[in-house]
Amino acid sequence: GNSNYCKGIILYDFNKDTYDMNLLKNSNRIPFIFINGTNGHKILDGMDNTRIDFKLTQRLNTSIVSYNVIGQLNGTDSTKTVIVDCLYDSWWCQGTADSAIGMAMVLAIAKYFKEHNVTPKYNIKFIAFGGEEHGFCAGSKYYESAHQDENILYVIDLNQLGFKQDNPKLTLNIISNKINFLNEIWKIIKKTGYANRVDSSKDIKPVFLKNGGPSNSQPFAKFRNSCKTVCFLKDSGWEYHHRDGLNHTEGDVLKYFDPVDVAVTGEIALNVTKYLTVDKI
């Protein structure tokens, strides 16, 4: 239809308590409102007797600057780098699983190396990448393109992790851009016994994707042939992905934090980092 006669669009989610992000945010020229499924069905069922009043206070702010936050631990060979990273932006509300938990794991690994006086073989950069959600990995894309002279051996990318969902239960995916590398680190990962220790998850599995995981590791996998990447991503049907609702009590919130999953996944991430930067011959 002709959008000149359309004053706005109301989208409602399949979920009764939450609403999703607006996937059309970069293309729409008229107001979009996203509501939960309960209210959506009420409106749909009573179209002839429904009046909707709303006021939009949002505006485009082009003055916002996003930063990558980097901490470096120097290694014995300063000509090579290993990146341990996570996004630190999120959608809507708390962003507990996507991705405060992953960011906490990055900080925890850095804390472990520092407190145990571990000197890695290579420089380790612990990076909080900005702009992952809004610009699809804008921060990591910028970093990769701006550091062409840096010899980055490995990228260990922590994404949405450590949360529970009962129906259906989800799988922790270990995604790498190199099959041989995936097989190598899978031997380390299997030792943690994740599937037996984490009741809230269905399984853990290795996944090969030529361009790496769908997050901050991807620019390095795509544009650096020699760089080996691994992305930790719990997904495959997460109902509350990018969702918020009920006054920020439902969706990607602390309510679904699973301390056992966080502990075991963090153990895996630490073991892989230690293997690649300390133990591996």
Side-chain angles (χ1 to χ4, degrees):
N2 191 331
S3 61
N4 292 329
Y5 297 98
C6 183
K7 301 302 183 182
I9 294 178
I10 299 174
L11 302 175
Y12 67 90
D13 203 351
F14 73 88
N15 189 289
K16 68 177 185 177
D17 296 326
T18 62
Y19 52 89
D20 198 357
M21 66 179 185
N22 184 356
L23 295 175
L24 304 176
K25 64 184 177 67
N26 293 321
S27 59
N28 59 287
R29 296 295 181 268
I30 56 178
F32 275 66
I33 300 174
F34 222 124
I35 62 177
N36 63 42
T38 300
N39 291 331
H41 283 289
K42 285 182 180 178
I43 294 172
L44 194 63
D45 294 340
M47 289 287 289
D48 295 336
N49 300 305
T50 300
R51 174 188 172 93
I52 299 170
D53 294 310
F54 62 89
K55 180 180 180 180
L56 294 179
T57 59
Q58 294 176 323
R59 61 185 177 86
L60 178 64
N61 187 344
T62 58
S63 67
I64 299 298
V65 179
S66 177
Y67 294 94
N68 294 327
V69 183
I70 305 171
Q72 179 168 317
L73 182 62
N74 292 328
T76 53
D77 185 351
S78 61
T79 66
K80 300 179 178 67
T81 299
V82 175
I83 291 176
V84 181
D85 78 83
C86 185
L87 65 148
Y88 75 98
D89 56 335
S90 68
W91 273 91
W92 299 122
C93 52
Q94 298 173 33
T96 299
D98 189 13
S99 187
I101 292 173
M103 192 66 251
M105 289 179 184
V106 172
L107 296 175
I109 294 171
K111 184 172 184 284
Y112 175 92
F113 272 73
K114 188 66 176 177
E115 290 186 346
H116 289 80
N117 297 312
V118 177
T119 300
K121 291 184 290 186
Y122 321 111
N123 290 348
I124 302 180
K125 288 189 175 181
F126 300 95
I127 305 180
F129 281 121
E132 196 267 1
E133 298 288 8
H134 180 73
F136 192 71
C137 306
S140 62
K141 284 180 180 177
Y142 173 82
Y143 184 95
E144 192 283 325
S145 64
H147 293 78
Q148 291 296 307
D149 295 333
E150 187 173 17
N151 185 6
I152 302 172
L153 299 180
Y154 308 107
V155 174
I156 302 168
D157 178 33
L158 304 177
N159 196 267
Q160 52 200 42
L161 299 166
F163 59 98
K164 56 188 175 183
Q165 174 177 293
D166 294 329
N167 188 26
K169 288 188 175 182
L170 305 179
T171 295
L172 174 58
N173 299 289
I174 310 297
I175 307 169
S176 179
N177 66 326
K178 307 285 186 183
I179 293 179
N180 290 340
F181 176 62
L182 180 60
N183 292 335
E184 181 181 359
I185 61 173
W186 186 244
K187 296 176 183 178
I188 305 299
I189 293 169
K190 283 197 302 183
K191 294 179 181 179
T192 63
Y194 177 92
N196 292 327
R197 295 169 63 185
V198 182
D199 292 336
S200 64
S201 293
K202 179 182 178 181
D203 202 358
I204 180 174
K205 68 177 182 180
V207 179
F208 165 70
L209 292 176
K210 182 178 65 174
N211 290 328
S215 187
N216 288 315
S217 64
Q218 194 164 96
F220 301 94
K222 289 179 66 175
F223 302 119
R224 297 184 182 231
N225 185 55
S226 62
C227 184
K228 299 174 182 177
T229 69
V230 56
C231 174
F232 291 71
L233 176 73
K234 189 173 182 181
D235 201 347
S236 303
W238 179 19
E239 184 178 358
Y240 287 146
H241 180 250
H242 288 168
R243 283 179 165 84
D244 179 42
L246 297 186
N247 196 27
H248 310 304
T249 61
E250 286 293 340
D252 185 6
V253 296
L254 197 58
K255 175 180 178 180
Y256 301 102
F257 177 97
D258 182 353
V260 176
D261 193 355
V262 172
V264 180
T265 304
E267 180 183 333
I268 293 173
L270 175 61
N271 289 342
V272 169
T273 304
K274 285 173 59 182
Y275 171 73
L276 296 176
T277 61
V278 180
D279 303 332
K280 184 179 178 181
I281 298 176

